[in-house]
Amino acid sequence: MTHKITIPCHTSKLKDVRDFVTEVIRLFYLSEKEQFLLVLAIDEICANRILHSNHNDTTRNLEVEIASQDGTVIFCIKDEGDFFDLNQNESTPVDRLVKDRRKGGLGVSLIKKIIDSVEVFKEGHYTIHRLIKKSSVSTSF
Amino acid sequence: MNISANKEGKTYVIIIDGEIDASSSIELDTAISEAIKKGERKILVDCEKLNYISSAGLGVFMSYLEDFEEQGIKIALFHMNDKVKSVFEILGLVDLIDIVPTRAEAEKIVE
């Protein structure tokens, strides 16, 4: 069984994504803190896609799908924005960001620390991010 | 998300209520920027009602650390719940900014 939400590409809709992910992952055997951090990771990738690849363009949609398979939780984020493989992006050290007074640059680091693996690929004109988190999943899912 | 700020004696208290994400972080940015422009030197941030923070919010705090250092501004965050604090911990940001349990401890830091 999969769960899905579709939102217009605008950061004002990130709260809808967080509420959706929070509701779905309650079904997993995860601590409250683990759930909180998973919501954060999905929020980060969606914010990244909305801002940097879709430029807050509300004529475009972003889709988040959650599924379980073989003891893992799989998040698929699908949108029509520019392709960017965050695996190729080397995280800037925090002290460098501080020195440069940069507000951005922490999101990818957070995602990599929370999620076990991230795959990025094109499917037609869509860019797909597949985020995998190892977990025990309840039978109700 | 709602942010308010009050001058209380020699300290300037910023109170955050709600969630800070890529959409709302600009409000936190404005609040800190205004405190600096006003010449405040002792800033407390009440996080009791801060339910969520993403990297956008972390980035706002981080982007002002050099200004705080250069201008002799002391800042401390207090009453932060464990889940929100864990976001700072993941990236080691707890070593760069003071986060303490109580307001009394925060006041000592900015004294």
Side-chain angles (χ1 to χ4, degrees), chain A residues 3-5 13-44 46 64-67 73 75 138 140-141, chain B residues 19 21 51-53 83:
Chain A
H3 299 256
K4 187 166 79 176
I5 187 173
K13 298 295 179 186
L14 286 169
K15 170 77 171 145
D16 294 347
V17 172
R18 294 200 296 275
D19 289 345
F20 163 74
V21 176
T22 300
E23 195 61 35
V24 173
I25 63 175
R26 277 187 188 148
L27 301 167
F28 305 149
Y29 291 121
L30 296 166
S31 69
E32 266 191 46
K33 185 174 161 183
E34 286 173 316
Q35 290 181 35
F36 183 82
L37 293 178
L38 271 182
V39 171
L40 172 66
I42 304 309
D43 185 47
E44 293 292 346
C46 291
V64 178
E65 189 175 280
I66 308 175
V73 188
F75 301 89
S138 77
S140 62
F141 187 70
Chain B
E19 305 186 356
D21 66 4
N51 304 316
Y52 177 82
I53 192 164
K83 286 189 283 191

Side-chain angles (χ1 to χ4, degrees), chain A:
Chain A
M1 186 177 176
T2 59
H3 299 256
K4 187 166 79 176
I5 187 173
T6 303
I7 59 161
C9 278
H10 196 275
T11 52
S12 62
K13 298 295 179 186
L14 286 169
K15 170 77 171 145
D16 294 347
V17 172
R18 294 200 296 275
D19 289 345
F20 163 74
V21 176
T22 300
E23 195 61 35
V24 173
I25 63 175
R26 277 187 188 148
L27 301 167
F28 305 149
Y29 291 121
L30 296 166
S31 69
E32 266 191 46
K33 185 174 161 183
E34 286 173 316
Q35 290 181 35
F36 183 82
L37 293 178
L38 271 182
V39 171
L40 172 66
I42 304 309
D43 185 47
E44 293 292 346
I45 193 81
C46 291
N48 204 312
R49 296 301 301 165
I50 288 170
L51 282 170
H52 303 304
S53 292
N54 288 283
H55 317 292
N56 260 332
D57 180 353
T58 53
T59 65
R60 293 180 176 176
N61 286 334
L62 178 142
E63 183 182 296
V64 178
E65 189 175 280
I66 308 175
S68 67
Q69 184 184 338
D70 301 330
T72 62
V73 188
I74 302 162
F75 301 89
C76 276
I77 293 98
K78 179 177 173 183
D79 65 83
E80 297 172 83
D82 304 331
F83 179 84
F84 172 74
D85 187 352
L86 57 84
N87 291 307
Q88 303 300 318
N89 179 38
E90 286 216 11
S91 301
T92 307
V94 171
D95 55 353
R96 184 76 250 168
L97 296 175
V98 169
K99 199 141 190 78
D100 293 345
R101 295 173 163 84
R102 281 180 55 187
K103 292 179 174 42
L106 297 170
V108 173
S109 299
L110 279 174
I111 294 164
K112 288 179 176 175
K113 285 186 180 289
I114 297 167
I115 297 294
D116 292 314
S117 76
V118 182
E119 299 166 11
V120 190
F121 53 92
K122 291 289 286 185
E123 197 173 89
H125 62 286
Y126 292 105
T127 297
I128 315 276
H129 285 68
R130 194 163 178 266
L131 283 65
I132 297 171
K133 180 72 180 174
K134 289 171 189 153
S135 163
S136 297
V137 182
S138 77
T139 52
S140 62
F141 187 70

